[in-house]
C-alpha cells in the first residue's frame, strides 16, 4: 500500500517539559501552544470551558488522583491540523488503566500487552474487511497522521474509574470540535470530504452535529456488543468508498508491525 511508517505529527506540544508539566500550567498557556493552529481557531469559542476543564484536572491531581492521559497527551487528537481530517472516529472516554491512554480514541501505548478487547475486535474486523493482519500493539498513531481524527467524547479520566470525568466540561469542547470538522467548506463552497465512523450509542449522540456528512455506524466493538452488528460491518472499506465518492483519496489503514 506504499505505507510510510515514520511520519511525524505536523504539530508538537510546545511546552518547556511536555512530560512533567502540569494541567495548572496548561490552563494558563495560549490555546495556540496546546493544539494545532487551525484547531486553536476552531476551539476559540469554547476556550473558557477548556480552561475550566484544565483547572478541574489540576484540582484532581492536587487532591491526589491520577489523571489519564498525561498532560502532554490530553490534546493529542488536536495535534494534526483540522484541515487534514478525512475520517472522524468517535470514542467514549480514555482507558482508565494507567499506561494505556494516549489521547486518541481506541489507541493505547505501544508497549501495552495485551491490547484492550475492543481494540482486538477492531483489529479482527480490519483483517476481515481489508486483509490487514492484527498487530500485537495498539498504537494507532499512524491513523491520526493520515487524517483519521480519533476523538473521545470526554478527553480525560481518573485512573481506575471509567467515566469519572463525564459531565465535567469536556462535552461542549468535543461538540465544538465535531461541529468544526463537519462544517468545513472548500474553496468552491462545498463541504470538505469527510466520513464519520460511529460505533455504539455514545458515538451516535454526535450524529446531529454532522449535517450532511456520510456516516458509517454499527454496534460498539466492545466484547459485549461486537457480535450484535460490529463484526461484518466493514467500516474501513466503506469509509474509503465514501471518501472516493466525494472525490478524495482513501485512508491507508495499514498499521506497522511494531510501534
Amino acid at each position: 500500500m506504499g505505507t510510510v511508517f515514520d511520519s511525524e505529527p505536523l504539530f508538537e506540544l510546545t511546552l518547556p517539559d511536555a512530560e512533567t508539566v502540569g494541567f495548572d500550567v496548561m490552563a494558563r498557556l495560549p490555546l495556540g501552544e496546546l493544539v494545532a493552529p487551525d484547531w486553536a481557531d476552531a476551539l476559540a469559542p469554547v476556550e473558557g470551558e477548556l480552561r475550566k476543564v484544565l483547572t478541574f484536572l489540576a484540582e484532581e491531581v492536587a487532591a491526589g488522583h491520577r489523571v489519564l492521559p498525561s498532560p502532554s497527551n490530553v490534546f493529542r487528537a488536536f495535534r494534526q491540523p483540522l484541515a487534514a481530517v478525512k475520517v472522524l472516529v468517535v470514542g467514549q472516554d480514555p482507558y482508565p488503566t494507567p499506561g494505556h491512554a494516549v489521547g486518541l480514541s481506541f489507541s493505547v501505548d505501544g508497549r501495552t500487552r495485551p491490547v484492550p478487547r475492543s481494540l482486538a475486535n477492531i483489529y479482527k474486523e480490519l483483517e476481515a474487511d481489508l486483509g490487514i493482519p492484527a498487530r500485537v500493539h495498539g498504537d494507532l498513531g499512524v491513523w491520526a497522521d493520515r487524517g483519521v481524527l480519533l476523538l473521545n467524547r470526554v478527553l480525560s479520566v481518573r485512573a481506575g474509574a471509567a467515566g469519572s470525568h463525564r459531565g465535567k466540561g469536556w462535552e461542549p469542547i468535543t461538540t465544538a470540535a465535531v461541529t468544526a470538522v463537519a462544517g468545513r467548506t472548500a474553496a468552491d463552497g462545498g463541504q470538505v470530504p469527510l466520513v464519520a465512523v460511529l460505533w455504539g450509542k455514545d458515538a451516535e449522540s454526535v450524529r446531529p452535529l454532522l449535517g450532511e456528512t456520510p456516516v458509517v455506524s454499527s454496534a460498539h466493538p466492545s466484547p459485549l456488543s461486537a457480535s450484535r452488528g460490529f463484526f461484518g460491518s466493514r467500516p474501513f472499506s466503506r469509509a474509503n468508498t465514501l471518501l472516493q465518492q466525494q472525490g478524495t483519496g482513501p485512508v491507508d489503514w495499514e498499521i506497522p508491525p511494531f510501534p
Side-chain angles (χ1 to χ4, degrees):
M1 297 184 180
T3 303
V4 176
F5 293 140
D6 60 355
S7 57
E8 294 291 335
L10 298 182
F11 172 84
E12 291 290 354
L13 199 60
T14 57
L15 305 183
D17 187 349
E19 292 307 314
T20 60
V21 71
F23 293 110
D24 54 341
V25 173
M26 293 177 67
R28 300 191 298 271
L29 288 173
L31 194 55
E33 293 186 25
L34 300 175
V35 299
D38 56 355
W39 273 117
D41 292 339
L43 297 177
V46 291
E47 183 175 354
E49 288 90 337
L50 185 148
R51 296 194 182 283
K52 288 179 182 177
V53 177
L54 289 173
T55 299
F56 161 72
L57 298 184
E59 292 169 350
E60 284 274 271
V61 173
H65 302 296
R66 183 172 180 181
V67 172
L68 305 176
S70 65
S72 62
N73 276 329
V74 73
F75 292 125
R76 187 176 172 189
F78 302 131
R79 286 186 193 171
Q80 291 288 13
L82 168 60
V85 175
K86 299 170 72 171
V87 175
L88 167 67
V89 177
V90 180
Q92 299 175 7
D93 60 347
Y95 297 110
T97 304
H100 285 202
V102 293
L104 303 175
S105 62
F106 299 103
S107 183
V108 292
D109 185 276
R111 296 164 292 185
T112 299
R113 303 287 188 279
V115 301
R117 290 179 294 172
S118 291
L119 181 51
N121 286 338
I122 290 171
Y123 280 171
K124 186 180 294 187
E125 182 61 21
L126 180 63
E127 184 166 12
D129 188 6
L130 296 178
I132 296 172
R135 302 307 188 191
V136 296
H137 70 89
D139 183 354
L140 305 180
V142 293
W143 286 0
D145 294 341
R146 297 172 190 151
V148 181
L149 177 58
L150 298 165
L151 182 67
N152 278 318
R153 195 72 168 99
V154 172
L155 301 186
S156 66
V157 68
R158 185 185 294 180
S164 52
H165 287 176
R166 293 188 182 190
K168 302 299 184 181
W170 282 122
E171 289 85 353
I173 297 163
T174 54
T175 291
V178 173
T179 301
V181 172
R184 295 170 300 165
T185 55
D188 62 1
Q191 186 176 11
V192 172
L194 176 70
V195 176
V197 177
L198 306 180
W199 292 327
K201 292 182 179 179
D202 275 13
E204 279 284 342
S205 69
V206 308
R207 190 187 280 262
L209 308 174
L210 295 171
E212 312 235 342
T213 300
V215 172
V216 175
S217 65
S218 74
H220 193 274
S222 160
L224 298 176
S225 57
S227 61
R228 299 200 295 268
F230 175 74
F231 290 137
S233 63
R234 300 173 53 246
F236 308 101
S237 62
R238 289 169 62 197
N240 278 350
T241 296
L242 288 167
L243 286 172
Q244 291 172 310
Q245 289 174 355
Q246 295 174 74
T248 194
V251 169
D252 178 1
W253 296 99
E254 181 77 44
I255 297 170
F258 304 101

